[in-house]
Amino acid sequence: GKPEIDIMILAKTFDDAPQFIAALESIGYVYFKRFEEVVPERRYFRKSEGIVPLVHVHMVETKDQFWNGRIDFGRYMLAHPEAVIRYNQAKKKLAEEFKEDRKEYSAHKEAIVGEILTLARKE
C-alpha cells in the first residue's frame, strides 16, 4: 500500500526512551514528540530521503495493547498464508482508492487489521 517500512521497537518502559531517541537520532531518524499528543502510548520516528518518508519507527512499552495485537496479527498471518494474500490484495485496492487520502487509507486498513485480529484471538 505504501512505499515505507514500519518498524516497532519494544521498550520495557518509556523511562528508557531517551537513550533510544538519542541512538536513533544519531543514525538519521527524526523524533516527532508532537505525535505523543495524539498517541501517547507510542514514540514515533521517521527517516526520510528528502521529503519522501522511507522508514517509520514506533516505540511502545511491553504492556501496550497495540504491541500485543501486532504480535497476534503476525502469528495469525504466519499460520494462514491465504489471509496474507487477501490482506495484500485489500491494501492494494485501498491504495488505489485512497491514493490522495492517507488518513482514509489508514482508517480502512486498520478496519481490516481489526477483522484479522478478531480471527486471531479466536484461535
Side-chain angles (χ1 to χ4, degrees), residues 41-52:
E41 65 275 6
R42 283 188 244 160
R43 303 298 179 259
Y44 175 70
F45 307 81
R46 185 171 67 207
K47 185 180 260 190
S48 302
E49 188 171 284
I51 61 168
V52 178

Side-chain angles (χ1 to χ4, degrees), residues 1-117:
K2 58 182 177 149
E4 296 109 20
I5 297 170
D6 285 303
I7 298 172
M8 195 171 308
I9 296 174
L10 182 61
K12 193 171 197 173
T13 172
F14 281 144
D15 292 340
D16 299 331
Q19 68 185 3
F20 287 112
I21 292 167
L24 287 165
E25 286 178 331
S26 76
I27 57 172
Y29 286 87
V30 176
Y31 172 50
F32 289 83
K33 182 159 180 58
R34 70 179 186 271
F35 187 78
E36 294 172 38
E37 295 171 16
V38 180
V39 188
E41 65 275 6
R42 283 188 244 160
R43 303 298 179 259
Y44 175 70
F45 307 81
R46 185 171 67 207
K47 185 180 260 190
S48 302
E49 188 171 284
I51 61 168
V52 178
L54 301 174
V55 182
H56 299 246
V57 176
H58 300 268
M59 183 189 315
V60 298
E61 293 180 300
T62 53
K63 64 185 177 192
D64 187 76
Q65 289 301 333
F66 184 81
W67 168 263
N68 292 314
R70 289 317 186 255
I71 295 298
D72 293 342
F73 179 88
R75 286 184 181 141
Y76 185 85
M77 297 302 258
L78 285 171
H80 298 87
E82 73 286 352
V84 174
I85 293 167
R86 284 195 313 271
Y87 178 65
N88 285 333
Q89 288 171 340
K91 283 179 49 172
K92 286 177 185 176
K93 182 180 175 199
L94 292 173
E96 183 60 33
E97 185 176 347
F98 299 109
K99 62 181 154 192
E100 302 299 325
D101 192 340
R102 178 74 176 257
K103 196 173 189 176
E104 281 298 312
Y105 166 84
S106 293
H108 284 81
K109 186 188 84 167
E110 280 305 308
I112 296 166
V113 170
E115 292 170 15
I116 293 169
L117 282 173

